[in-house]
Amino acid sequence: MGDTFIRHIALLGFEKRFIPSQHYVYMFLVKWQDLSEKMVYRKFTEIYEFHKILKEMFPIEAGEINPENRIIPHLPAPRWFDGQRTAESRQGTLSEYCAALMALPPKISRGPHVLGFFKVRPDDLQLPGDSPVRKPETYLIPKDGKNGKSNAADITGPIILQSYRAIADYQKTSGSEMVLAMGDVVDVVEKSESGWWFCQMKAKRGWVPASFLEPLDSPDEAEDPAPNYAGEPYVTIKAYTAVEEDEVTLSEGEAIEVIHKLLDGWWVVRKEDVTGYFPSMYLQKAGQDVAQAQRQIKGRGAPPRRSTIRNAHSIHQRSRKRLTQDAYRRNSVRFLQQRRAQAPSPKKIPQSQRGKPQPAVPPRPSADLILHRCSESTKRKLASSISV
């Protein structure tokens, strides 16, 4: 299995807590080499103390002997008073710091000091208790933020995590997942395109299939995007054999188009004129690194579909609105026909403007043929030059 190490550290945002007094903690999603993913919470003062010790352990790499040799990233010291604006502005710095930390030589990035700091602690598993006055406030980095960079205008207030209800019991299949009982209400921290959502409930955190969850106010998922019949080019990175009639069977390495990205992780894809559901976990955008995506799906399979869940019970009177595959096919065929009709036809060049055909160049005759057909004068000149 090899030694334990961290593959990636992602800053998700920060929390404003009020027990025992007001303070801020940053939320990190730590991805380990065994493909497990753990959420850890760290104060900035803790991060800075970790940074100071790291520099003491590696003085050459910290530039203490020669500044030109420094490879350990910089980190500003904590301020005397850290308010919310400071907590927000640090997010870009922390994201860059974590990326640079992971890029350091293995003796540092995979050393015990780094691994120990980002390991899950007991207080990471214990959610803070609610204050009699105020509940903890969560501020997440915008999804489209690059490298975690954001300014105060990007975050206008605390992000209230969305609450969902479990429609059936769920037994976890890996250590990073969370057990659910029907009726449990969870807060969703992250909605992954794979259909696995990172949730928290009281003292528990973990990944849960989105298909086991429903919104509290409506059976429909308001964030589901509309179909895109123009399609996006993707490549299958793992074969899948259809189980349900509305699914599609594809081999690894096939080029397809995604026409509807649904949040439960089962996307509608198009292969020529055929459409069907396919696990988004087994797809990768065309032109991107397939090998890396294949490594990431080894730790967890595709989430189950809602239609396969037994003993599911919804609190809503009506069922979710979903298009049938017949509707997808009709709309897709109609769109493709319209696109072909609107495509400009190649321009026809009038006969009068066409150039005259060029005569074919005959092949060069052989030397013997040239000597046979040349004049007597040429033959005598050649004979005299050879004799000389």
Side-chain angles (χ1 to χ4, degrees):
M1 190 70 180
D3 296 333
T4 300
F5 64 89
I6 298 172
R7 295 186 297 115
H8 182 67
I9 302 173
L11 176 66
L12 300 182
F14 66 91
E15 277 190 354
K16 184 178 182 180
R17 296 179 178 178
F18 301 93
I19 296 178
S21 60
Q22 179 175 306
H23 63 284
Y24 300 88
V25 293
Y26 291 93
M27 303 183 296
F28 296 94
L29 186 64
V30 183
K31 302 182 179 182
W32 295 83
Q33 108 283 355
D34 61 357
L35 301 183
S36 63
E37 298 174 338
K38 307 293 184 182
M39 182 86 83
V40 300
Y41 296 78
R42 300 290 183 266
K43 297 178 183 177
F44 186 76
T45 51
E46 294 177 295
I47 301 170
Y48 187 71
E49 285 301 315
F50 156 82
H51 173 70
K52 285 183 12 180
I53 296 174
L54 188 69
K55 291 197 301 178
E56 293 172 0
M57 294 174 63
F58 301 97
I60 296 176
E61 291 80 359
E64 300 293 340
I65 300 174
N66 185 350
E68 294 181 357
N69 295 331
R70 176 162 188 161
I71 57 174
I72 292 178
H74 293 270
L75 190 67
R79 299 180 183 178
W80 178 254
F81 175 77
D82 286 344
Q84 182 170 321
R85 186 175 294 276
T86 302
E88 290 173 1
S89 63
R90 280 201 190 110
Q91 292 181 115
T93 301
L94 285 175
S95 292
E96 293 174 354
Y97 181 82
C98 290
L101 191 65
M102 291 293 96
L104 292 175
K107 68 176 183 179
I108 303 177
S109 61
R110 300 186 182 186
H113 184 55
V114 173
L115 301 184
F117 183 74
F118 287 101
K119 268 188 176 178
V120 176
R121 303 171 182 171
D123 54 344
D124 292 324
L125 302 174
Q126 183 67 43
L127 285 173
D130 290 347
S131 164
V133 180
R134 299 181 67 178
K135 294 183 178 181
E137 298 174 357
T138 303
Y139 298 78
L140 299 180
I141 292 177
K143 282 284 185 181
D144 56 352
K146 295 182 179 179
N147 299 323
K149 291 182 178 179
S150 59
N151 52 41
D154 294 328
I155 305 175
T156 56
I159 296 176
I160 306 302
L161 298 180
Q162 292 176 295
S163 296
Y164 283 74
R165 174 188 174 276
I167 62 171
D169 297 343
Y170 177 71
Q171 300 298 324
K172 66 180 183 179
T173 58
S174 73
S176 61
E177 297 175 19
M178 187 169 73
V179 174
L180 290 177
M182 185 177 66
D184 282 347
V185 176
V186 301
D187 293 327
V188 178
V189 177
E190 179 184 354
K191 294 181 178 180
S192 171
E193 283 190 338
S194 66
W196 290 95
W197 292 1
F198 195 85
C199 303
Q200 63 184 29
M201 180 182 66
K202 296 180 180 178
K204 296 193 298 182
R205 296 186 184 92
W207 295 97
V208 173
S211 53
F212 274 76
L213 303 174
E214 66 176 358
L216 297 179
D217 55 351
S218 168
D220 301 314
E221 178 54 68
E223 296 180 17
D224 267 334
N228 173 24
Y229 291 106
E232 291 185 56
Y234 275 76
V235 177
T236 58
I237 59 174
K238 185 175 180 180
Y240 176 76
T241 302
V243 178
E244 304 289 315
E245 292 183 357
D246 54 0
E247 297 173 0
V248 61
T249 297
L250 293 172
S251 303
E252 181 182 331
E254 292 199 50
I256 55 91
E257 292 178 305
V258 174
I259 61 175
H260 201 182
K261 295 181 176 180
L262 296 164
L263 292 181
D264 63 3
W266 286 84
W267 292 355
V268 182
V269 303
R270 178 172 62 207
K271 177 73 174 179
E272 297 175 350
D273 290 335
V274 177
T275 66
Y277 288 108
F278 194 84
S280 64
M281 285 191 71
Y282 301 160
L283 296 172
Q284 177 76 354
K285 276 191 175 183
Q288 295 187 356
D289 185 7
V290 173
Q292 181 180 359
Q294 288 175 329
R295 289 194 296 270
Q296 292 176 349
I297 63 176
K298 289 182 180 179
R300 187 184 297 121
R305 288 187 61 194
R306 175 73 66 90
S307 58
T308 64
I309 300 174
R310 296 182 179 181
N311 303 320
H313 176 71
S314 172
I315 59 175
H316 304 294
Q317 296 293 330
R318 62 179 180 85
S319 58
R320 296 185 302 170
K321 295 177 181 178
R322 280 290 171 92
L323 291 175
T324 64
Q325 286 303 320
D326 286 339
Y328 280 119
R329 290 189 198 97
R330 288 196 305 269
N331 295 339
S332 178
V333 170
R334 188 181 303 116
F335 176 86
L336 293 176
Q337 289 175 343
Q338 292 175 351
R339 185 164 65 179
R340 294 188 192 108
Q342 294 173 357
S345 57
K347 292 183 177 181
K348 294 184 179 180
I349 303 175
Q351 187 71 28
S352 59
Q353 296 182 9
R354 294 181 184 177
K356 294 182 179 180
Q358 298 294 324
V361 179
R364 180 180 178 83
S366 65
D368 292 340
L369 184 59
I370 293 174
L371 189 60
H372 177 71
R373 293 184 177 179
C374 68
S375 64
E376 291 298 327
S377 174
T378 303
K379 288 180 181 180
R380 285 193 299 270
K381 290 179 180 179
L382 286 173
S384 60
S385 63
I386 294 173
S387 60
V388 173

